[in-house]
Amino acid sequence: MRILITGAAGFVGTNLTAKLLRDGRDVVATDSLARAGADWNIQWLRSTYPALRFERREIEDLPALIYKEKPAIVFHFAAQVAVTSSVENPQRDFRINAEGSFLVARAARDVGAPVIYTSTNKVYGDNVNFVEIVEQETRYDFAGEYQGNGLPESFSIDAKHHTPYGISKLVGEFYVREFGGIANRCSCMYGPNQFGIVDQGWLSHIATNKIKGRETVIYGDGKQVRDALHIQDVVRLMCAEMDALTGSQSESLAGSVFNIGGGYGNTISLVELCNKWGIKPTFAQWRPADQKVFYCNISAAQSTFGWQPEVTLEEGLEELLDWTRRSCA
């Protein structure tokens, strides 16, 4: 069974590609190598897994590769990932995330390959900030029915102020699901091979600041809470989704969407992380549509795939610091 992975030199793509190659799978990996850290990741993959088949492609060139390779399944991770970049250049953001995902999903449908797509919690937009919350000493939390449970997939996506990034990812999600794939609305993923930036991969970004002795800037008051999910758990879930989509559950799962995160037990706020790592941050104005609290209700993925997070936040953060030290050396 041939597997095609777009964005294979990104954070999720690198870790999934490595797992599948370790398992002896037939993998075709592709990436534009445009993002910082992608060259490092692809060099690591090539040196560690000589059997890697890699093609450098821009997103508009991916349909031709799909028609050529005729994979049994496509993991679509190639994306513009930064909220700030989407605000500065919404046309480019749309071209990559919305139009690009449409092209990938349509080509995959034409060759009979379901797509597994990484979407985002930003598709819920500013609706999240109208949920009742409580303010505690170092964090915000949901109040009422969502406290300790998190937001389900049925939570409304009909809102203004998604940011262009949230809109473009939602459009891509619609096309993937319309053509029979699965969308994962991801919260905060972290772990090795992540080169975080200020508004994407914040745990990695703050780890890099700590290792390099750089200033950490927090937008807002730092009590924002996310549920962190280690990349090992992400990869385990996606492998389970792949097996289900290419097996007997293919018809029942087509068009599904799952909220994917670490769940309430793996939540942390920005100031809690800074306190843990001995960082004294500076503060700046809130960013547009930033969600004060977001953590997932992951019961749908748990019941569908028999999956749950296994790496604790304590273990994962220690590993992230160790890997960041080595990658910065």
Side-chain angles (χ1 to χ4, degrees), residues 133-142 147-148 221-227 263-273 275 292-295 313:
I133 63 172
V134 292
E135 183 175 1
Q136 300 169 355
E137 184 178 356
T138 59
R139 61 163 60 193
Y140 297 106
D141 196 358
F142 291 129
Q147 188 173 51
D221 58 15
K223 294 185 179 183
Q224 302 97 302
V225 162
R226 299 292 184 268
D227 54 334
Y264 184 70
N266 289 305
T267 56
I268 190 169
S269 74
L270 276 73
V271 292
E272 287 169 351
L273 179 68
N275 291 341
K292 288 186 175 179
V293 183
F294 189 93
Y295 54 89
L313 191 55

PDB file of all heavy atoms in Angstrom, residues 133-142 147-148 221-227 263-273 275 292-295 313:
ATOM      1  N   ILE A 133     -16.304  31.587  30.999  1.00  0.00           N
ATOM      2  CA  ILE A 133     -15.051  31.111  31.573  1.00  0.00           C
ATOM      3  C   ILE A 133     -14.900  31.640  32.996  1.00  0.00           C
ATOM      4  O   ILE A 133     -15.614  32.550  33.418  1.00  0.00           O
ATOM      5  CB  ILE A 133     -13.826  31.539  30.732  1.00  0.00           C
ATOM      6  CG1 ILE A 133     -13.696  33.074  30.695  1.00  0.00           C
ATOM      7  CG2 ILE A 133     -13.890  30.955  29.333  1.00  0.00           C
ATOM      8  CD1 ILE A 133     -12.401  33.543  30.040  1.00  0.00           C
ATOM      9  N   VAL A 134     -13.966  31.043  33.711  1.00  0.00           N
ATOM     10  CA  VAL A 134     -13.596  31.521  35.043  1.00  0.00           C
ATOM     11  C   VAL A 134     -12.112  31.870  35.009  1.00  0.00           C
ATOM     12  O   VAL A 134     -11.321  31.241  34.303  1.00  0.00           O
ATOM     13  CB  VAL A 134     -13.871  30.463  36.134  1.00  0.00           C
ATOM     14  CG1 VAL A 134     -15.362  30.247  36.288  1.00  0.00           C
ATOM     15  CG2 VAL A 134     -13.173  29.150  35.811  1.00  0.00           C
ATOM     16  N   GLU A 135     -11.749  32.909  35.769  1.00  0.00           N
ATOM     17  CA  GLU A 135     -10.351  33.314  35.846  1.00  0.00           C
ATOM     18  C   GLU A 135      -9.764  32.834  37.158  1.00  0.00           C
ATOM     19  O   GLU A 135     -10.297  33.098  38.235  1.00  0.00           O
ATOM     20  CB  GLU A 135     -10.218  34.834  35.735  1.00  0.00           C
ATOM     21  CG  GLU A 135      -8.772  35.311  35.745  1.00  0.00           C
ATOM     22  CD  GLU A 135      -8.646  36.807  35.513  1.00  0.00           C
ATOM     23  OE1 GLU A 135      -9.691  37.480  35.361  1.00  0.00           O
ATOM     24  OE2 GLU A 135      -7.494  37.308  35.489  1.00  0.00           O
ATOM     25  N   GLN A 136      -8.663  32.109  37.048  1.00  0.00           N
ATOM     26  CA  GLN A 136      -7.953  31.612  38.209  1.00  0.00           C
ATOM     27  C   GLN A 136      -6.595  32.316  38.309  1.00  0.00           C
ATOM     28  O   GLN A 136      -6.286  33.197  37.504  1.00  0.00           O
ATOM     29  CB  GLN A 136      -7.810  30.082  38.101  1.00  0.00           C
ATOM     30  CG  GLN A 136      -9.166  29.378  38.031  1.00  0.00           C
ATOM     31  CD  GLN A 136      -9.058  27.911  37.670  1.00  0.00           C
ATOM     32  OE1 GLN A 136      -7.987  27.403  37.372  1.00  0.00           O
ATOM     33  NE2 GLN A 136     -10.195  27.219  37.678  1.00  0.00           N
ATOM     34  N   GLU A 137      -5.797  31.942  39.279  1.00  0.00           N
ATOM     35  CA  GLU A 137      -4.553  32.678  39.534  1.00  0.00           C
ATOM     36  C   GLU A 137      -3.607  32.648  38.339  1.00  0.00           C
ATOM     37  O   GLU A 137      -3.010  33.676  37.979  1.00  0.00           O
ATOM     38  CB  GLU A 137      -3.849  32.111  40.769  1.00  0.00           C
ATOM     39  CG  GLU A 137      -2.592  32.886  41.141  1.00  0.00           C
ATOM     40  CD  GLU A 137      -1.928  32.347  42.391  1.00  0.00           C
ATOM     41  OE1 GLU A 137      -2.486  31.405  43.012  1.00  0.00           O
ATOM     42  OE2 GLU A 137      -0.841  32.846  42.751  1.00  0.00           O
ATOM     43  N   THR A 138      -3.453  31.495  37.707  1.00  0.00           N
ATOM     44  CA  THR A 138      -2.474  31.377  36.618  1.00  0.00           C
ATOM     45  C   THR A 138      -3.098  30.949  35.299  1.00  0.00           C
ATOM     46  O   THR A 138      -2.374  30.704  34.335  1.00  0.00           O
ATOM     47  CB  THR A 138      -1.380  30.350  36.979  1.00  0.00           C
ATOM     48  OG1 THR A 138      -1.991  29.072  37.216  1.00  0.00           O
ATOM     49  CG2 THR A 138      -0.613  30.807  38.211  1.00  0.00           C
ATOM     50  N   ARG A 139      -4.427  30.853  35.238  1.00  0.00           N
ATOM     51  CA  ARG A 139      -5.057  30.383  34.005  1.00  0.00           C
ATOM     52  C   ARG A 139      -6.531  30.748  33.962  1.00  0.00           C
ATOM     53  O   ARG A 139      -7.155  31.049  34.989  1.00  0.00           O
ATOM     54  CB  ARG A 139      -4.925  28.878  33.873  1.00  0.00           C
ATOM     55  CG  ARG A 139      -5.610  28.087  35.007  1.00  0.00           C
ATOM     56  CD  ARG A 139      -5.823  26.629  34.646  1.00  0.00           C
ATOM     57  NE  ARG A 139      -4.594  25.903  34.363  1.00  0.00           N
ATOM     58  CZ  ARG A 139      -4.557  24.708  33.785  1.00  0.00           C
ATOM     59  NH1 ARG A 139      -5.689  24.116  33.433  1.00  0.00           N
ATOM     60  NH2 ARG A 139      -3.414  24.099  33.574  1.00  0.00           N
ATOM     61  N   TYR A 140      -7.055  30.715  32.751  1.00  0.00           N
ATOM     62  CA  TYR A 140      -8.501  30.719  32.549  1.00  0.00           C
ATOM     63  C   TYR A 140      -8.969  29.273  32.392  1.00  0.00           C
ATOM     64  O   TYR A 140      -8.194  28.374  32.053  1.00  0.00           O
ATOM     65  CB  TYR A 140      -8.882  31.502  31.292  1.00  0.00           C
ATOM     66  CG  TYR A 140      -8.523  32.966  31.320  1.00  0.00           C
ATOM     67  CD1 TYR A 140      -7.456  33.460  30.568  1.00  0.00           C
ATOM     68  CD2 TYR A 140      -9.250  33.871  32.094  1.00  0.00           C
ATOM     69  CE1 TYR A 140      -7.120  34.810  30.585  1.00  0.00           C
ATOM     70  CE2 TYR A 140      -8.926  35.216  32.118  1.00  0.00           C
ATOM     71  CZ  TYR A 140      -7.856  35.681  31.367  1.00  0.00           C
ATOM     72  OH  TYR A 140      -7.545  37.011  31.391  1.00  0.00           O
ATOM     73  N   ASP A 141     -10.269  29.065  32.627  1.00  0.00           N
ATOM     74  CA  ASP A 141     -10.844  27.743  32.368  1.00  0.00           C
ATOM     75  C   ASP A 141     -12.281  27.941  31.923  1.00  0.00           C
ATOM     76  O   ASP A 141     -12.907  28.967  32.207  1.00  0.00           O
ATOM     77  CB  ASP A 141     -10.792  26.869  33.622  1.00  0.00           C
ATOM     78  CG  ASP A 141     -10.999  25.386  33.327  1.00  0.00           C
ATOM     79  OD1 ASP A 141     -11.221  25.034  32.148  1.00  0.00           O
ATOM     80  OD2 ASP A 141     -10.942  24.578  34.277  1.00  0.00           O
ATOM     81  N   PHE A 142     -12.786  26.944  31.218  1.00  0.00           N
ATOM     82  CA  PHE A 142     -14.205  26.959  30.893  1.00  0.00           C
ATOM     83  C   PHE A 142     -15.022  26.865  32.173  1.00  0.00           C
ATOM     84  O   PHE A 142     -14.585  26.280  33.167  1.00  0.00           O
ATOM     85  CB  PHE A 142     -14.574  25.778  29.994  1.00  0.00           C
ATOM     86  CG  PHE A 142     -14.010  25.840  28.600  1.00  0.00           C
ATOM     87  CD1 PHE A 142     -13.324  24.767  28.064  1.00  0.00           C
ATOM     88  CD2 PHE A 142     -14.185  26.969  27.818  1.00  0.00           C
ATOM     89  CE1 PHE A 142     -12.821  24.815  26.773  1.00  0.00           C
ATOM     90  CE2 PHE A 142     -13.686  27.030  26.527  1.00  0.00           C
ATOM     91  CZ  PHE A 142     -12.996  25.948  26.000  1.00  0.00           C
ATOM     92  N   GLN A 147     -16.385  22.718  31.308  1.00  0.00           N
ATOM     93  CA  GLN A 147     -15.270  22.681  32.262  1.00  0.00           C
ATOM     94  C   GLN A 147     -14.842  21.244  32.507  1.00  0.00           C
ATOM     95  O   GLN A 147     -15.642  20.383  32.879  1.00  0.00           O
ATOM     96  CB  GLN A 147     -15.655  23.331  33.584  1.00  0.00           C
ATOM     97  CG  GLN A 147     -14.477  23.492  34.538  1.00  0.00           C
ATOM     98  CD  GLN A 147     -14.845  24.300  35.777  1.00  0.00           C
ATOM     99  OE1 GLN A 147     -15.824  24.007  36.445  1.00  0.00           O
ATOM    100  NE2 GLN A 147     -14.056  25.322  36.072  1.00  0.00           N
ATOM    101  N   GLY A 148     -13.564  20.964  32.282  1.00  0.00           N
ATOM    102  CA  GLY A 148     -13.037  19.621  32.472  1.00  0.00           C
ATOM    103  C   GLY A 148     -13.343  18.668  31.344  1.00  0.00           C
ATOM    104  O   GLY A 148     -12.780  17.568  31.292  1.00  0.00           O
ATOM    105  N   ASP A 221      -2.446  38.305  28.672  1.00  0.00           N
ATOM    106  CA  ASP A 221      -1.952  38.220  30.051  1.00  0.00           C
ATOM    107  C   ASP A 221      -1.285  36.890  30.382  1.00  0.00           C
ATOM    108  O   ASP A 221      -0.825  36.677  31.503  1.00  0.00           O
ATOM    109  CB  ASP A 221      -3.082  38.511  31.041  1.00  0.00           C
ATOM    110  CG  ASP A 221      -4.266  37.558  30.885  1.00  0.00           C
ATOM    111  OD1 ASP A 221      -4.118  36.509  30.229  1.00  0.00           O
ATOM    112  OD2 ASP A 221      -5.352  37.886  31.423  1.00  0.00           O
ATOM    113  N   GLY A 222      -1.241  35.964  29.404  1.00  0.00           N
ATOM    114  CA  GLY A 222      -0.542  34.704  29.616  1.00  0.00           C
ATOM    115  C   GLY A 222      -1.351  33.627  30.301  1.00  0.00           C
ATOM    116  O   GLY A 222      -0.858  32.514  30.513  1.00  0.00           O
ATOM    117  N   LYS A 223      -2.605  33.929  30.631  1.00  0.00           N
ATOM    118  CA  LYS A 223      -3.440  32.918  31.273  1.00  0.00           C
ATOM    119  C   LYS A 223      -4.169  32.031  30.256  1.00  0.00           C
ATOM    120  O   LYS A 223      -4.958  31.162  30.643  1.00  0.00           O
ATOM    121  CB  LYS A 223      -4.452  33.574  32.206  1.00  0.00           C
ATOM    122  CG  LYS A 223      -3.807  34.262  33.407  1.00  0.00           C
ATOM    123  CD  LYS A 223      -4.868  34.796  34.366  1.00  0.00           C
ATOM    124  CE  LYS A 223      -4.225  35.466  35.577  1.00  0.00           C
ATOM    125  NZ  LYS A 223      -5.247  35.928  36.551  1.00  0.00           N
ATOM    126  N   GLN A 224      -3.887  32.257  28.955  1.00  0.00           N
ATOM    127  CA  GLN A 224      -4.496  31.429  27.920  1.00  0.00           C
ATOM    128  C   GLN A 224      -4.113  29.959  28.137  1.00  0.00           C
ATOM    129  O   GLN A 224      -2.956  29.644  28.398  1.00  0.00           O
ATOM    130  CB  GLN A 224      -4.029  31.857  26.529  1.00  0.00           C
ATOM    131  CG  GLN A 224      -4.307  33.298  26.182  1.00  0.00           C
ATOM    132  CD  GLN A 224      -3.128  34.203  26.400  1.00  0.00           C
ATOM    133  OE1 GLN A 224      -2.608  34.297  27.510  1.00  0.00           O
ATOM    134  NE2 GLN A 224      -2.692  34.893  25.353  1.00  0.00           N
ATOM    135  N   VAL A 225      -5.081  29.082  27.960  1.00  0.00           N
ATOM    136  CA  VAL A 225      -4.888  27.655  28.232  1.00  0.00           C
ATOM    137  C   VAL A 225      -5.092  26.846  26.947  1.00  0.00           C
ATOM    138  O   VAL A 225      -6.018  27.108  26.182  1.00  0.00           O
ATOM    139  CB  VAL A 225      -5.866  27.171  29.323  1.00  0.00           C
ATOM    140  CG1 VAL A 225      -5.998  25.646  29.323  1.00  0.00           C
ATOM    141  CG2 VAL A 225      -5.401  27.639  30.690  1.00  0.00           C
ATOM    142  N   ARG A 226      -4.207  25.873  26.730  1.00  0.00           N
ATOM    143  CA  ARG A 226      -4.348  24.915  25.643  1.00  0.00           C
ATOM    144  C   ARG A 226      -4.075  23.512  26.181  1.00  0.00           C
ATOM    145  O   ARG A 226      -3.385  23.339  27.188  1.00  0.00           O
ATOM    146  CB  ARG A 226      -3.367  25.212  24.500  1.00  0.00           C
ATOM    147  CG  ARG A 226      -3.544  26.576  23.854  1.00  0.00           C
ATOM    148  CD  ARG A 226      -4.843  26.688  23.079  1.00  0.00           C
ATOM    149  NE  ARG A 226      -4.939  27.958  22.390  1.00  0.00           N
ATOM    150  CZ  ARG A 226      -5.507  29.050  22.899  1.00  0.00           C
ATOM    151  NH1 ARG A 226      -5.993  29.022  24.142  1.00  0.00           N
ATOM    152  NH2 ARG A 226      -5.579  30.164  22.196  1.00  0.00           N
ATOM    153  N   ASP A 227      -4.589  22.521  25.464  1.00  0.00           N
ATOM    154  CA  ASP A 227      -4.297  21.131  25.815  1.00  0.00           C
ATOM    155  C   ASP A 227      -3.199  20.629  24.881  1.00  0.00           C
ATOM    156  O   ASP A 227      -3.333  20.639  23.668  1.00  0.00           O
ATOM    157  CB  ASP A 227      -5.528  20.243  25.761  1.00  0.00           C
ATOM    158  CG  ASP A 227      -6.268  20.285  24.436  1.00  0.00           C
ATOM    159  OD1 ASP A 227      -6.172  21.305  23.719  1.00  0.00           O
ATOM    160  OD2 ASP A 227      -6.956  19.302  24.111  1.00  0.00           O
ATOM    161  N   GLY A 263      -6.471  16.807  25.834  1.00  0.00           N
ATOM    162  CA  GLY A 263      -7.517  16.692  26.833  1.00  0.00           C
ATOM    163  C   GLY A 263      -7.203  17.481  28.095  1.00  0.00           C
ATOM    164  O   GLY A 263      -6.101  18.023  28.248  1.00  0.00           O
ATOM    165  N   TYR A 264      -8.160  17.547  28.979  1.00  0.00           N
ATOM    166  CA  TYR A 264      -8.038  18.404  30.163  1.00  0.00           C
ATOM    167  C   TYR A 264      -6.811  18.063  31.004  1.00  0.00           C
ATOM    168  O   TYR A 264      -6.163  18.946  31.574  1.00  0.00           O
ATOM    169  CB  TYR A 264      -9.300  18.302  31.013  1.00  0.00           C
ATOM    170  CG  TYR A 264      -9.284  19.237  32.202  1.00  0.00           C
ATOM    171  CD1 TYR A 264      -9.393  20.609  32.022  1.00  0.00           C
ATOM    172  CD2 TYR A 264      -9.143  18.755  33.507  1.00  0.00           C
ATOM    173  CE1 TYR A 264      -9.369  21.486  33.102  1.00  0.00           C
ATOM    174  CE2 TYR A 264      -9.121  19.615  34.593  1.00  0.00           C
ATOM    175  CZ  TYR A 264      -9.237  20.976  34.386  1.00  0.00           C
ATOM    176  OH  TYR A 264      -9.197  21.839  35.448  1.00  0.00           O
ATOM    177  N   GLY A 265      -6.462  16.787  31.077  1.00  0.00           N
ATOM    178  CA  GLY A 265      -5.337  16.374  31.918  1.00  0.00           C
ATOM    179  C   GLY A 265      -3.991  16.878  31.435  1.00  0.00           C
ATOM    180  O   GLY A 265      -3.008  16.846  32.190  1.00  0.00           O
ATOM    181  N   ASN A 266      -3.926  17.359  30.202  1.00  0.00           N
ATOM    182  CA  ASN A 266      -2.667  17.873  29.645  1.00  0.00           C
ATOM    183  C   ASN A 266      -2.778  19.349  29.288  1.00  0.00           C
ATOM    184  O   ASN A 266      -2.145  19.811  28.339  1.00  0.00           O
ATOM    185  CB  ASN A 266      -2.262  17.055  28.416  1.00  0.00           C
ATOM    186  CG  ASN A 266      -1.798  15.666  28.772  1.00  0.00           C
ATOM    187  OD1 ASN A 266      -0.890  15.490  29.575  1.00  0.00           O
ATOM    188  ND2 ASN A 266      -2.431  14.658  28.191  1.00  0.00           N
ATOM    189  N   THR A 267      -3.562  20.098  30.059  1.00  0.00           N
ATOM    190  CA  THR A 267      -3.679  21.534  29.813  1.00  0.00           C
ATOM    191  C   THR A 267      -2.593  22.302  30.544  1.00  0.00           C
ATOM    192  O   THR A 267      -2.118  21.904  31.610  1.00  0.00           O
ATOM    193  CB  THR A 267      -5.054  22.069  30.263  1.00  0.00           C
ATOM    194  OG1 THR A 267      -5.254  21.744  31.651  1.00  0.00           O
ATOM    195  CG2 THR A 267      -6.178  21.479  29.433  1.00  0.00           C
ATOM    196  N   ILE A 268      -2.209  23.438  29.947  1.00  0.00           N
ATOM    197  CA  ILE A 268      -1.214  24.311  30.557  1.00  0.00           C
ATOM    198  C   ILE A 268      -1.413  25.712  29.997  1.00  0.00           C
ATOM    199  O   ILE A 268      -1.835  25.875  28.849  1.00  0.00           O
ATOM    200  CB  ILE A 268       0.222  23.804  30.283  1.00  0.00           C
ATOM    201  CG1 ILE A 268       1.256  24.569  31.132  1.00  0.00           C
ATOM    202  CG2 ILE A 268       0.560  23.859  28.799  1.00  0.00           C
ATOM    203  CD1 ILE A 268       2.642  23.943  31.108  1.00  0.00           C
ATOM    204  N   SER A 269      -1.144  26.726  30.820  1.00  0.00           N
ATOM    205  CA  SER A 269      -1.212  28.109  30.350  1.00  0.00           C
ATOM    206  C   SER A 269       0.190  28.599  30.024  1.00  0.00           C
ATOM    207  O   SER A 269       1.197  27.985  30.393  1.00  0.00           O
ATOM    208  CB  SER A 269      -1.854  29.013  31.404  1.00  0.00           C
ATOM    209  OG  SER A 269      -0.949  29.255  32.474  1.00  0.00           O
ATOM    210  N   LEU A 270       0.253  29.737  29.335  1.00  0.00           N
ATOM    211  CA  LEU A 270       1.561  30.294  28.981  1.00  0.00           C
ATOM    212  C   LEU A 270       2.367  30.662  30.219  1.00  0.00           C
ATOM    213  O   LEU A 270       3.571  30.384  30.306  1.00  0.00           O
ATOM    214  CB  LEU A 270       1.387  31.514  28.078  1.00  0.00           C
ATOM    215  CG  LEU A 270       1.208  31.257  26.590  1.00  0.00           C
ATOM    216  CD1 LEU A 270      -0.174  30.687  26.290  1.00  0.00           C
ATOM    217  CD2 LEU A 270       1.423  32.530  25.775  1.00  0.00           C
ATOM    218  N   VAL A 271       1.727  31.315  31.201  1.00  0.00           N
ATOM    219  CA  VAL A 271       2.485  31.716  32.385  1.00  0.00           C
ATOM    220  C   VAL A 271       2.882  30.500  33.216  1.00  0.00           C
ATOM    221  O   VAL A 271       3.940  30.495  33.856  1.00  0.00           O
ATOM    222  CB  VAL A 271       1.709  32.739  33.247  1.00  0.00           C
ATOM    223  CG1 VAL A 271       1.573  34.058  32.527  1.00  0.00           C
ATOM    224  CG2 VAL A 271       0.367  32.207  33.696  1.00  0.00           C
ATOM    225  N   GLU A 272       2.061  29.461  33.205  1.00  0.00           N
ATOM    226  CA  GLU A 272       2.432  28.235  33.925  1.00  0.00           C
ATOM    227  C   GLU A 272       3.676  27.613  33.306  1.00  0.00           C
ATOM    228  O   GLU A 272       4.565  27.125  34.016  1.00  0.00           O
ATOM    229  CB  GLU A 272       1.267  27.258  33.925  1.00  0.00           C
ATOM    230  CG  GLU A 272       0.132  27.671  34.849  1.00  0.00           C
ATOM    231  CD  GLU A 272      -1.133  26.856  34.647  1.00  0.00           C
ATOM    232  OE1 GLU A 272      -1.199  26.067  33.680  1.00  0.00           O
ATOM    233  OE2 GLU A 272      -2.075  27.030  35.457  1.00  0.00           O
ATOM    234  N   LEU A 273       3.749  27.607  31.967  1.00  0.00           N
ATOM    235  CA  LEU A 273       4.938  27.079  31.311  1.00  0.00           C
ATOM    236  C   LEU A 273       6.160  27.936  31.633  1.00  0.00           C
ATOM    237  O   LEU A 273       7.239  27.403  31.940  1.00  0.00           O
ATOM    238  CB  LEU A 273       4.733  27.022  29.797  1.00  0.00           C
ATOM    239  CG  LEU A 273       5.946  26.501  29.017  1.00  0.00           C
ATOM    240  CD1 LEU A 273       6.178  25.025  29.296  1.00  0.00           C
ATOM    241  CD2 LEU A 273       5.780  26.739  27.516  1.00  0.00           C
ATOM    242  N   ASN A 275       6.668  29.818  34.246  1.00  0.00           N
ATOM    243  CA  ASN A 275       7.042  29.564  35.633  1.00  0.00           C
ATOM    244  C   ASN A 275       7.805  28.242  35.767  1.00  0.00           C
ATOM    245  O   ASN A 275       8.790  28.151  36.502  1.00  0.00           O
ATOM    246  CB  ASN A 275       5.799  29.540  36.525  1.00  0.00           C
ATOM    247  CG  ASN A 275       5.161  30.911  36.676  1.00  0.00           C
ATOM    248  OD1 ASN A 275       5.790  31.938  36.424  1.00  0.00           O
ATOM    249  ND2 ASN A 275       3.904  30.936  37.071  1.00  0.00           N
ATOM    250  N   LYS A 292      -9.020  32.546  24.716  1.00  0.00           N
ATOM    251  CA  LYS A 292      -8.494  32.507  26.080  1.00  0.00           C
ATOM    252  C   LYS A 292      -8.400  31.080  26.608  1.00  0.00           C
ATOM    253  O   LYS A 292      -7.483  30.757  27.371  1.00  0.00           O
ATOM    254  CB  LYS A 292      -9.365  33.362  27.003  1.00  0.00           C
ATOM    255  CG  LYS A 292      -9.218  34.859  26.768  1.00  0.00           C
ATOM    256  CD  LYS A 292      -9.989  35.668  27.797  1.00  0.00           C
ATOM    257  CE  LYS A 292      -9.741  37.160  27.614  1.00  0.00           C
ATOM    258  NZ  LYS A 292     -10.500  37.971  28.595  1.00  0.00           N
ATOM    259  N   VAL A 293      -9.352  30.255  26.226  1.00  0.00           N
ATOM    260  CA  VAL A 293      -9.320  28.840  26.627  1.00  0.00           C
ATOM    261  C   VAL A 293      -9.658  28.000  25.411  1.00  0.00           C
ATOM    262  O   VAL A 293     -10.617  28.288  24.690  1.00  0.00           O
ATOM    263  CB  VAL A 293     -10.352  28.532  27.734  1.00  0.00           C
ATOM    264  CG1 VAL A 293     -10.225  27.068  28.179  1.00  0.00           C
ATOM    265  CG2 VAL A 293     -10.189  29.466  28.916  1.00  0.00           C
ATOM    266  N   PHE A 294      -8.850  27.004  25.157  1.00  0.00           N
ATOM    267  CA  PHE A 294      -9.262  25.968  24.222  1.00  0.00           C
ATOM    268  C   PHE A 294      -8.647  24.648  24.649  1.00  0.00           C
ATOM    269  O   PHE A 294      -7.435  24.510  24.723  1.00  0.00           O
ATOM    270  CB  PHE A 294      -8.858  26.256  22.773  1.00  0.00           C
ATOM    271  CG  PHE A 294      -9.502  25.250  21.834  1.00  0.00           C
ATOM    272  CD1 PHE A 294     -10.712  25.534  21.249  1.00  0.00           C
ATOM    273  CD2 PHE A 294      -8.927  24.012  21.627  1.00  0.00           C
ATOM    274  CE1 PHE A 294     -11.348  24.594  20.450  1.00  0.00           C
ATOM    275  CE2 PHE A 294      -9.556  23.058  20.824  1.00  0.00           C
ATOM    276  CZ  PHE A 294     -10.761  23.354  20.231  1.00  0.00           C
ATOM    277  N   TYR A 295      -9.518  23.712  24.951  1.00  0.00           N
ATOM    278  CA  TYR A 295      -9.085  22.324  25.035  1.00  0.00           C
ATOM    279  C   TYR A 295     -10.211  21.439  24.525  1.00  0.00           C
ATOM    280  O   TYR A 295     -11.379  21.801  24.545  1.00  0.00           O
ATOM    281  CB  TYR A 295      -8.608  21.920  26.439  1.00  0.00           C
ATOM    282  CG  TYR A 295      -9.546  22.160  27.595  1.00  0.00           C
ATOM    283  CD1 TYR A 295     -10.486  21.210  27.990  1.00  0.00           C
ATOM    284  CD2 TYR A 295      -9.450  23.326  28.358  1.00  0.00           C
ATOM    285  CE1 TYR A 295     -11.308  21.419  29.097  1.00  0.00           C
ATOM    286  CE2 TYR A 295     -10.255  23.539  29.457  1.00  0.00           C
ATOM    287  CZ  TYR A 295     -11.197  22.591  29.819  1.00  0.00           C
ATOM    288  OH  TYR A 295     -12.014  22.793  30.905  1.00  0.00           O
ATOM    289  N   LEU A 313       2.313  15.362  30.067  1.00  0.00           N
ATOM    290  CA  LEU A 313       2.885  16.674  29.793  1.00  0.00           C
ATOM    291  C   LEU A 313       4.258  16.807  30.435  1.00  0.00           C
ATOM    292  O   LEU A 313       5.183  17.386  29.839  1.00  0.00           O
ATOM    293  CB  LEU A 313       1.933  17.758  30.304  1.00  0.00           C
ATOM    294  CG  LEU A 313       2.209  19.197  29.888  1.00  0.00           C
ATOM    295  CD1 LEU A 313       2.289  19.334  28.373  1.00  0.00           C
ATOM    296  CD2 LEU A 313       1.125  20.122  30.444  1.00  0.00           C
TER     297      LEU A 313
END
